[in-house]
Amino acid sequence: MTEILFYHLTESTLEEALPALLEKSVDRGWKAVVQAGGEERRDALDAALWTFRDDSFLAHGTDAEPHASENPVLLTTGQGNENGAQIRFLVDGADAPDLAAYERAVFMFDGHDDEQLRKARESWKQLRQESHTVTYWQQSSDRRWERKA
């Protein structure tokens, strides 16, 4: 069964928090897919991943580019899994596809955005009713993740 995690961003932006989680996923030998709420957001994340740190490179691409399936990290607006990812990140309130094909699914939501909070709560409730194991993580004031539920 898919391990499902909810990450509540309270101290940093998605662009600040996502790269470290993607690096950890790739370090595990996993491919990752990041599903954004729209093309503009997908493209902004693409730009952010190229420049998030001077001493690092995170190979990635978007579903709008040729050879999308060859990327270890794929940014998409769709529900497919073109690169055969083991982990799926859902950001900006993106609607989740069937998560059964993944080892892990991560819902990341901005704690300062009422719509993202609402959608995260709905997803949490639905996934728990479906008997998934779900954990909730919130950022502390020093931007570390603390398990709350």
Side-chain angles (χ1 to χ4, degrees), residues 64-79:
E65 301 168 348
H67 313 293
S69 63
E70 297 173 18
N71 288 289
V73 176
L74 181 64
L75 306 174
T76 186
T77 58
Q79 295 192 341

Side-chain angles (χ1 to χ4, degrees), residues 104-137:
R104 182 176 290 169
V106 178
F107 290 76
M108 296 185 77
F109 57 99
D110 182 344
H112 306 290
D113 183 311
D114 290 339
E115 181 63 17
Q116 286 188 37
L117 283 170
R118 183 189 65 74
K119 287 193 85 169
R121 287 181 183 122
E122 286 176 3
S123 295
W124 171 273
K125 185 177 180 179
Q126 176 187 348
L127 291 164
R128 290 207 44 178
Q129 286 175 346
E130 294 173 2
S131 300
H132 289 280
T133 301
V134 187
T135 57
Y136 168 74
W137 300 79

